Amino acid sequence: MDTKCDRSMNLFSNLFRWAHRQNENFLTESFSYVVDYLLIHEPEAGIGVLTWLCFGDTTSEGFDGEVPDISLQYRDDQGIPDIKVETTSVLALVEVKKGSGLGHLQLERYRSILASSLHPTKKLVLLTMHPIEFNQSAERPDRQLTWHDVSEWFRHCPDLSDPVANFLVQQFIEFLEQQRMSVQRVEKEYLSGMEAYVRLVTMIDLALTIAEIPKYKRPRNGKGYWVFYVGSTTTRDYCIRFYFKRPGELRFEFHGKSPNRKPFEFGSLWKSGGQRLHRIMELDSEFFEADAQQQLRKLTEFLRSSHAEAEQLALPEQK
């Protein structure tokens, strides 16, 4: 599954901005929503992820052909498990953790809830960011999983024919990665990739010099992006930026200086879309097939024209 997407375009990340102090609750609700949707529209995948969650991959146990019911914040005198998964024969309680630890005798109390149930099959599942080490005498869950495990299951789940289901799964995988709750394997391409990254940064710096665009200090890395402020040696009028999630787009953006004129007079290259006014140069196959001098020339032309138009846009409109 391809999960590459700009952070600003991720459904769960955008919703999470409004979930103040609701880290674990939001995570629980989001995961349950995705699974609920799968149970309705992609039942094989929905039952599959719950079977894996409660019983594991290599087991003869399961839900006996029933579609499980999911409920959140199940209240009992012994506590409030985050997720309850239930059929006529199975009861599973899932405790979700993002950063916090287990409460006092929390697993013991949830085990008591299961003990009082008449369901023949009972499971206690712990879902955390990182594996928890238990003392020898401590109560242990039947299944201890991490959110990375969840991400990997979704990443390798059977193909989904429902486009919305596919979209939700991809978005949830990416959300887990953005929250640093899931990681992907580092391939050997990392070595050549880092070398190419340094070459590109060096070429951008040289292109700015050739285009005679003033530079503000030195470039730096931000959270998820590389940025170089330009336009002045003392103020950050504009910036050159690319996002690590979208490395094929080099952006020239307004930063400290605001545009006073409408950008339409310079064509459709200027875009805003709720963000700072910017132009994008696509680092496409044509760019990468060019030799070094041609690449430098393309970068220089893009930066020079972007800066010249930005300066015009920053001028007061003539009345």
Side-chain angles (χ1 to χ4, degrees):
M1 264 184 203
D2 182 12
T3 62
K4 293 181 181 179
C5 180
D6 189 345
R7 178 184 297 268
S8 64
M9 300 295 289
N10 185 274
L11 170 66
F12 295 104
S13 293
N14 282 328
L15 291 174
F16 185 59
R17 296 174 185 174
W18 302 97
H20 301 295
R21 300 180 181 178
Q22 296 292 316
N23 277 354
E24 289 177 0
N25 288 341
F26 181 84
L27 189 59
T28 302
E29 294 271 359
S30 300
F31 175 61
S32 299
Y33 181 83
V34 173
V35 175
D36 265 332
Y37 190 92
L38 292 176
L39 286 172
I40 297 171
H41 300 278
E42 293 279 357
E44 182 181 353
I47 295 174
V49 67
L50 288 178
T51 301
W52 167 80
L53 183 72
C54 299
F55 300 102
D57 288 321
T58 57
T59 177
S60 58
E61 296 180 287
F63 297 108
D64 298 325
E66 291 188 72
V67 178
D69 179 68
I70 300 178
S71 56
L72 305 181
Q73 300 294 310
Y74 166 64
R75 292 183 176 274
D76 186 272
D77 292 340
Q78 294 293 329
I80 310 175
D82 292 306
I83 302 174
K84 180 176 73 169
V85 181
E86 187 176 22
T87 65
T88 56
S89 61
V90 176
L91 176 63
L93 301 180
V94 183
E95 180 60 20
V96 172
K97 297 294 181 185
K98 184 179 181 184
S100 62
L102 288 167
H104 179 63
L105 298 177
Q106 190 171 22
L107 294 185
E108 288 82 353
R109 289 185 279 113
Y110 292 174
R111 190 69 77 181
S112 297
I113 297 175
L114 292 172
S116 64
S117 167
L118 298 179
H119 294 75
T121 302
K122 308 163 188 181
K123 295 292 180 180
L124 180 57
V125 181
L126 181 60
L127 188 50
T128 60
M129 282 189 66
H130 311 292
I132 294 178
E133 294 187 7
F134 293 93
N135 295 327
Q136 189 172 0
S137 59
E139 180 66 50
R140 297 169 182 267
D142 299 307
R143 293 271 289 158
Q144 181 182 185
L145 301 166
T146 67
W147 285 105
H148 176 73
D149 296 328
V150 171
S151 175
E152 286 298 293
W153 193 94
F154 276 136
R155 196 183 301 280
H156 298 98
C157 75
D159 290 338
L160 304 174
S161 59
D162 183 274
V164 176
N166 190 59
F167 171 78
L168 289 173
V169 168
Q170 290 186 20
Q171 292 281 286
F172 190 68
I173 292 172
E174 185 185 83
F175 173 69
L176 293 178
E177 291 178 0
Q178 292 174 354
Q179 293 294 309
R180 303 296 187 265
M181 302 177 71
S182 173
V183 294
Q184 294 191 49
R185 178 172 174 266
V186 178
E187 306 277 355
K188 65 180 181 180
E189 285 79 8
Y190 159 80
L191 299 174
S192 57
M194 286 302 297
E195 182 179 352
Y197 166 76
V198 173
R199 289 178 181 176
L200 176 61
V201 168
T202 302
M203 194 174 287
I204 292 172
D205 190 8
L206 179 56
L208 288 168
T209 299
I210 296 172
E212 298 183 339
I213 299 174
K215 307 170 188 177
Y216 176 84
K217 296 185 178 179
R218 302 301 304 162
R220 66 179 180 84
N221 291 326
K223 187 177 180 181
Y225 61 85
W226 174 91
V227 65
F228 196 168
Y229 297 104
V230 301
S232 168
T233 58
T234 57
T235 59
R236 300 185 294 176
D237 296 337
Y238 316 107
C239 67
I240 317 301
R241 188 194 307 265
F242 60 79
Y243 292 94
F244 298 139
K245 283 286 184 179
R246 305 182 71 174
E249 293 184 355
L250 182 66
R251 299 159 64 105
F252 186 99
E253 300 181 356
F254 271 80
H255 189 266
K257 186 181 291 187
S258 299
N260 294 315
R261 301 166 65 182
K262 302 295 183 183
F264 66 83
E265 61 186 281
F266 294 103
S268 61
L269 288 178
W270 287 96
K271 304 179 185 298
S272 58
Q275 306 173 53
R276 292 190 179 96
L277 192 64
H278 63 275
R279 285 182 72 188
I280 291 177
M281 174 182 175
E282 298 284 351
L283 303 181
D284 52 18
S285 57
E286 181 181 347
F287 175 82
F288 291 113
E289 290 169 1
D291 62 34
Q293 289 301 314
Q294 291 173 326
Q295 290 178 336
L296 178 61
R297 185 163 56 252
K298 288 176 182 290
L299 286 171
T300 303
E301 290 173 354
F302 169 73
L303 296 174
R304 179 184 285 125
S305 62
S306 297
H307 180 254
E309 291 182 8
E311 291 284 83
Q312 290 296 311
L313 287 170
L315 294 175
E317 289 192 88
Q318 296 180 351
K319 297 182 179 180

